[in-house]
Amino acid sequence: MKKTQTQPIDRKIYDSIIIGGGASGLFCAAQLLKAGKKVLILEPNRFLGRKLRITGKGRCNITNNCSAGEAMKNVLRNPKFLFSSLASFPPEKIMEFFESAGLQLKTERGRRVFPESDSANDVADALVRLCGKADIVHEKAREIITEDGAAKGVRTSGGVYYGKSVVLAAGGKSYPKTGSDGNGYTLAESLGHSIIEPRPSLVPIETKETYPELAGLELKNIALSLFDEKNPHKPVYKELGQLNFEPYGISGPLALTASCYMDTCKGYKLVIDFKPALSLQQLDQRLVRDISEDPSKPSEAIFRGLLPRPLDLIFAKELGIGINEACGNITKEKRKNIAERLKSFTLTPVSLRGFGEAIVTCGGISVKEIDPSSMESKLVKDLYFAGEIIDCDGFTGGYNLTIAFSTAHAASESIIKSKETFKWE
């Protein structure tokens, strides 16, 4: 473990220095300030909460209106590690926190919680207001200063700052343009912490079959299934929801969640059901009814009633049915093909998109080296972790911000309750 013997050049000592002005860092700072602590926030970006301001396509899915136990079920990696922090600060308390800060909330499909204004800026601004008494320095952390096995301060690109505790809330590597460049991993690793290799999670999927003409098409209430060739009859994942077509493949909530189940894309296939509410038999009956109403109308009218444009035209072309020919010419065999294609539109995933499009980072600081009740390092006293930098991540639906806020709460509570005396030798 690296130790640095340093004499203070500035006698001002903070109760806590927080590295990172994102969701978890701001939340932790707000809690500490409320308790009367002196806080310094180190954030290299000019604006605080930069990544938070673009989450949820600018709407910010703050949390999920569910129990702590249900939230744990939606954590992909190391859910048991979060048992204590989620039990102490479940989604209900996260909602109460923001409402008490003057933010009106609403719950939408899937119990997703958003600000009533549909503005992620309002969420970030609420946290920034609560951090009004903090000192804020827009400098990049270069080193966490330690002495006798304890964190004592931070050396930045512009100076040295001292504190009774340090909270590393620098985020992961997703959306690097917002400042999530992995610097937090370097800082932790220099102090002896193990880093589980970070990789992008909740990302769009590139597929072998591409349909550039469908780019931007958004489909709702369809079903997506992911199959592994090792067990081709039982889906690894299946869910009803929204899917978007992209020039390279697919995105949207269903695709993002499906990506979590694949370390690599090898051996998987994706199956889209455009009509999950109807069986094959019911689809065939509908086709028979639509055709019998007017056998002379063009086949285009049949496809237009089933799918949005230009997906309807692609279907007709792939099935070898002329859009201008009379629908009465569609044979029983072709009707069967239409129904089967609607229920099982297959795509072959070839790769996942990178960190630039990842909602969250999978991997990070090993939870084996963090106290789950306090988020304090087991290797360096008075060093705490919060948020995405920890090797915990969840599905879409507000679960990753829930992790950020609950771990930040655990860290702040531990710092507030600490009665250790800060001394410089």
Side-chain angles (χ1 to χ4, degrees), residues 94-408:
I94 293 173
M95 293 169 68
E96 289 176 359
F97 171 89
F98 281 103
E99 287 172 339
S100 67
L103 197 67
Q104 298 298 311
L105 305 178
K106 61 181 178 180
T107 301
E108 297 186 354
R109 182 183 58 82
R111 300 177 300 191
R112 291 169 166 83
V113 179
F114 292 90
E116 187 71 44
S117 63
D118 283 329
S119 173
N121 280 322
D122 289 347
V123 180
D125 289 343
L127 286 171
V128 171
R129 281 196 302 272
L130 293 173
C131 295
K133 292 184 178 180
D135 284 349
I136 299 167
V137 174
H138 295 289
E139 296 172 358
K140 188 170 185 176
R142 300 295 190 191
E143 176 189 3
I144 295 174
I145 300 168
T146 63
E147 183 180 313
D148 297 329
K152 298 295 186 182
V154 180
R155 188 185 305 279
T156 72
S157 54
V160 178
Y161 304 89
Y162 300 100
K164 301 176 185 178
S165 64
V166 174
V167 181
L168 189 48
K173 297 181 73 173
S174 58
Y175 292 128
K177 290 182 179 179
T178 64
S180 297
D181 59 1
N183 181 54
Y185 301 138
T186 303
L187 294 172
E189 199 168 26
S190 70
L191 297 175
H193 274 280
S194 304
I195 309 300
I196 308 303
E197 184 177 0
R199 62 180 179 82
S201 186
L202 294 175
V203 286
I205 303 170
E206 296 183 2
T207 59
K208 179 181 178 181
E209 305 81 4
T210 56
Y211 301 90
E213 60 270 51
L214 296 181
L217 179 63
E218 182 180 291
L219 298 171
K220 296 182 178 180
N221 299 318
I222 60 103
L224 179 68
S225 299
L226 176 68
F227 290 89
D228 186 339
E229 63 181 10
K230 297 174 183 177
N231 189 0
H233 303 296
K234 184 178 181 181
V236 176
Y237 159 76
K238 182 177 182 180
E239 192 173 345
L240 182 74
Q242 179 185 321
L243 187 76
N244 302 340
F245 277 95
E246 305 292 347
Y248 53 78
I250 56 173
S251 66
L254 292 180
L256 300 183
T257 303
S259 74
C260 296
Y261 291 90
M262 296 183 284
D263 290 333
T264 67
C265 291
K266 187 177 180 180
Y268 289 95
K269 71 174 181 177
L270 294 158
V271 178
I272 302 172
D273 182 350
F274 292 105
K275 299 294 178 183
L278 300 175
S279 65
L280 280 170
Q281 183 180 6
Q282 289 171 323
L283 269 174
D284 186 64
Q285 290 172 349
R286 174 176 170 173
L287 286 167
V288 169
R289 183 180 68 248
D290 290 348
I291 292 170
S292 63
E293 286 177 353
D294 182 4
S296 65
K297 64 184 175 184
S299 298
E300 179 184 7
I302 299 297
F303 285 100
R304 193 187 308 146
L306 294 167
L307 297 165
R309 184 150 293 183
L311 185 58
D312 58 342
L313 302 180
I314 289 175
F315 255 69
K317 182 179 179 180
E318 291 191 353
L319 292 168
I321 300 174
I323 59 173
N324 294 318
E325 68 176 280
C327 65
N329 294 334
I330 298 177
T331 63
K332 180 179 179 181
E333 184 63 26
K334 287 186 176 181
R335 283 204 326 267
K336 179 184 176 183
N337 291 341
I338 294 171
E340 289 179 347
R341 184 75 165 149
L342 285 168
K343 296 292 290 182
S344 58
F345 188 85
T346 302
L347 297 171
T348 309
V350 293
S351 64
L352 303 178
R353 303 290 277 185
F355 281 113
E357 296 175 67
I359 289 179
V360 70
T361 303
C362 175
I365 297 169
S366 173
V367 298
K368 295 178 181 179
E369 300 164 359
I370 305 173
D371 184 329
S373 62
S374 66
M375 297 299 141
E376 185 176 17
S377 166
K378 292 180 180 180
L379 308 183
V380 182
K381 186 173 176 55
D382 299 323
L383 173 63
Y384 298 81
F385 302 102
E388 191 179 349
I389 197 168
I390 302 170
D391 183 24
C392 291
D393 61 282
F395 293 116
T396 56
Y399 300 108
N400 288 293
L401 278 179
T402 298
I403 294 171
F405 297 138
S406 64
T407 54

Side-chain angles (χ1 to χ4, degrees), residues 15 18 26-39 89 93 96-98 100-101 127 129-134 409 412-413 416:
D15 289 298
I18 297 175
L26 292 173
F27 190 94
C28 188
Q31 295 287 87
L32 292 170
L33 290 164
K34 185 179 179 181
K37 302 294 183 180
K38 295 178 181 178
V39 176
F89 204 69
K93 290 190 176 181
E96 289 176 359
F97 171 89
F98 281 103
S100 67
L127 286 171
R129 281 196 302 272
L130 293 173
C131 295
K133 292 184 178 180
H409 177 266
S412 62
E413 285 295 293
I416 291 168

